[in-house]
């Protein structure tokens, strides 16, 4: 091993990164920012019971507002904690919409992800894109800088006594969700040293609060050549979900994107019978020629559950959620097939 390490410095760095990543799971630490956590015995992720893939919270509320840092209208979904013993803070999950898909179309998905213990932010981000031919189109298109804008705004929202989510935002932990074009934006946001016209934003700085992202119906491609690009995600965990009936983003393109994610942990979840719009409230008969064979409500619940549990594993530090994503969940869910690579893969399974 010493000879191998000296010959391959990148492998040595990978081993160190895997050890650091695994430490909270080995110790059983939840890594969740809960003030006065010593008396918060009744919080779902602290209970000493067997892990369940069911939502943590039954009551979800939402409100519509404007993101002060960029003027975007947004819908906010958040869980209601029943604990009266201490404050509860929830990590942030920013959902970046598919091209020309309104935020309201993600209401079912966003509320279900929120039920796993997250404040889900769903903006409408309108802008004008220019094609290489010079043609322009104005519509709903997310971009990289929303990550910084939303995080900064959420810090202010948490401190605003008039906000419905005052004092319940864990602004130290940010996860990304995304659909189609928005998923591509999320993948670009997971790395700093790349600029893709139409998706990247000038002077984007990846915030240290960004820990993970999981995206539906997307791939990471060069918009000019259409070639799938390698993704240097560093320490950010990446999940990809694809419907096997998707004709807008071919499942093979998503699988190739998964293969080119350079750093584990990573996961590829295929939902059998879902098409490109399995994540939205309704199927889209115009933009997706393939009809799903899985009921829309089942597809949305499946995508939301795997997204929520993925973020539980990597933002809340839940060892049960981690095990579900990388070991047991595939066998428990008849509607999905999963391939994954966790930090303790292969010969590194028993890292000291």
């Amino acid at each position: 091993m010493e000879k191998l390490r000296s010959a391959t410095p990148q492998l040595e760095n990978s081993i160190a990164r895997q050890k650091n990543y695994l430490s909270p799971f080995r110790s059983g630490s939840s890594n969740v920012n809960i003030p006065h956590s010593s008396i918060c015995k009744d919080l779902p992720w602290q209970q000493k019971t067997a892990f369940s893939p069911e939502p943590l919270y039954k009551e979800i509320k939402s409100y519509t507002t404007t993101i002060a840092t960029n003027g975007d209208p947004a819908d906010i979904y958040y869980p209601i904690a029943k604990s009266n013993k201490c404050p509860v803070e929830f990590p942030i999950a920013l959902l970046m919409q598919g091209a020309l898909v309104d935020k309201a179309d993600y209401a079912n998905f966003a509320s279900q992800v929120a039920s796993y213990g997250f404040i889900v932010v769903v903006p409408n981000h309108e802008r004008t894109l220019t094609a290489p031919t010079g043609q322009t189109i104005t519509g709903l298109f997310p971009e990289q800088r929303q990550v910084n804008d939303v995080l900064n705004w959420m810090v202010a929202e948490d401190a605003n006594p008039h906000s419905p989510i005052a004092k319940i935002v864990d602004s130290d932990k940010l996860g990304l969700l995304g659909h189609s074009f928005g998923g591509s934006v999320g993948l670009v946001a997971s790395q700093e040293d790349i600029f893709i016209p139409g998706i990247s934003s000038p002077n984007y700085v990846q915030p240290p609060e960004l820990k993970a992202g999981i995206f539906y119906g997307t791939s990471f491609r060069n918009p000019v050549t259409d070639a799938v690009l390698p993704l240097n995600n560093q320490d950010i965990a990446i999940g990809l979900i694809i419907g096997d009936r998707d004709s807008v983003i071919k499942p093979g393109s998503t699988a190739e994107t998964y293969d080119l994610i350079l750093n584990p942990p990573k996961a590829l979840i295929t939902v059998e019978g879902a098409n490109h719009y399995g994540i939205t409230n309704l199927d889209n008969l115009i933009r997706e020629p393939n009809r799903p064979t899985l009921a829309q409500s089942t597809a949305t619940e499946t995508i939301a559950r795997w997204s929520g549990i993925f973020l539980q594993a990597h933002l809340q530090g839940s060892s049960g959620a981690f095990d579900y994503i990388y070991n047991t969940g595939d066998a428990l869910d008849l509607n999905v097939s999963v391939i994954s690579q966790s930090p303790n893969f292969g010969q590194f399974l028993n890292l000291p």
Side-chain angles (χ1 to χ4, degrees):
M1 178 61 80
E2 292 303 322
K3 181 178 179 181
L4 182 59
R5 286 184 178 181
S6 63
T8 56
Q10 288 184 335
L11 179 59
E12 184 174 6
N13 291 336
S14 178
I15 291 171
R17 182 173 60 248
Q18 292 162 32
K19 288 181 181 178
N20 291 335
Y21 195 92
L22 285 171
S23 58
F25 297 101
R26 289 172 170 161
S27 66
S29 169
S30 69
N31 246 359
V32 178
N33 182 14
I34 306 293
H36 313 298
S37 60
S38 61
I39 62 171
C40 292
K41 301 298 185 182
D42 57 341
L43 296 180
W45 51 76
Q46 292 187 328
Q47 294 175 354
K48 302 298 183 181
T49 57
F51 175 80
S52 169
E54 298 300 316
L56 297 177
Y57 297 93
K58 294 182 179 180
E59 185 178 358
I60 305 301
K61 290 189 176 182
S62 65
Y63 67 101
T64 298
T65 186
T66 298
I67 297 174
T69 47
N70 60 16
D72 287 347
D75 297 330
I76 314 298
Y77 301 80
Y78 61 101
I80 301 300
K82 297 302 183 181
S83 171
N84 294 319
K85 294 182 179 181
C86 63
V88 183
E89 294 184 341
F90 301 104
I92 305 161
L94 167 60
L95 170 57
M96 288 179 286
Q97 65 207 127
L100 307 177
V101 182
D102 189 84
K103 59 184 174 59
D105 292 329
Y106 298 105
N108 294 340
F109 171 78
S111 61
Q112 290 178 50
V113 173
S115 73
Y116 284 88
F118 301 95
I119 298 175
V120 181
V121 182
V122 192
N124 264 355
H125 189 72
E126 184 172 325
R127 62 190 178 111
T128 299
L129 294 180
T130 303
T133 60
Q135 183 179 7
T136 62
I137 180 172
T138 299
L140 299 172
F141 298 102
E143 62 178 312
Q144 196 180 32
R145 70 179 177 89
Q146 287 179 259
V147 175
N148 301 120
D149 291 342
V150 168
L151 180 59
N152 292 335
W153 175 73
M154 288 292 281
V155 172
E157 192 76 349
D158 185 54
N160 177 6
H162 303 293
S163 170
I165 56 173
K167 304 302 181 184
I168 67 167
V169 182
D170 182 355
S171 55
D172 291 332
K173 297 182 180 68
L174 170 66
L176 301 180
L177 305 162
H179 174 215
S180 195
F181 185 94
S184 297
V185 174
L187 290 172
V188 171
S190 72
Q191 51 191 336
E192 284 187 329
D193 300 328
I194 188 170
F195 188 89
I196 297 179
I199 294 179
S200 301
S201 302
N203 304 317
Y204 169 73
V205 177
Q206 186 185 96
E209 294 85 355
L210 179 56
K211 310 295 183 184
I214 183 164
F215 312 106
Y216 182 73
T218 197
S219 61
F220 187 56
R221 294 174 295 178
N222 184 313
V224 177
T225 67
D226 207 39
V228 176
L229 301 170
L231 195 152
N232 184 14
N233 55 314
Q234 300 176 342
D235 292 327
I236 297 176
I238 299 293
L240 299 173
I241 309 179
I242 188 71
D244 70 353
R245 298 279 299 163
D246 195 324
S247 68
V248 179
I249 300 294
K250 301 295 185 182
S253 178
T254 302
E256 190 174 355
T257 297
Y258 169 83
D259 289 338
L260 291 178
I261 296 172
L262 300 182
N263 302 304
K266 60 180 182 176
L268 173 63
I269 299 112
T270 301
V271 182
E272 298 171 7
N275 69 6
H276 190 66
Y277 290 92
I279 193 174
T280 52
N281 299 343
L282 299 173
D283 187 19
N284 190 314
L285 303 178
I286 298 174
R287 298 176 67 184
E288 166 60 279
N290 284 351
R291 300 281 60 78
T293 57
L294 188 66
Q296 190 75 10
S297 60
T298 303
T300 303
E301 185 280 327
T302 301
I303 299 162
R305 172 165 33 89
W306 281 88
S307 298
I309 294 175
F310 187 87
L311 294 182
Q312 280 183 344
H314 297 293
L315 272 70
Q316 295 177 354
S318 166
S319 58
F322 190 91
D323 190 55
Y324 185 89
I325 295 293
Y326 297 101
N327 294 303
T328 62
D330 190 1
L332 297 174
D333 190 339
L334 298 179
N335 293 320
V336 307
S337 58
V338 182
I339 60 174
S340 63
Q341 196 174 86
S342 63
N344 55 342
F345 64 94
Q347 68 265 43
F348 308 126
L349 182 62
N350 297 312
L351 285 171

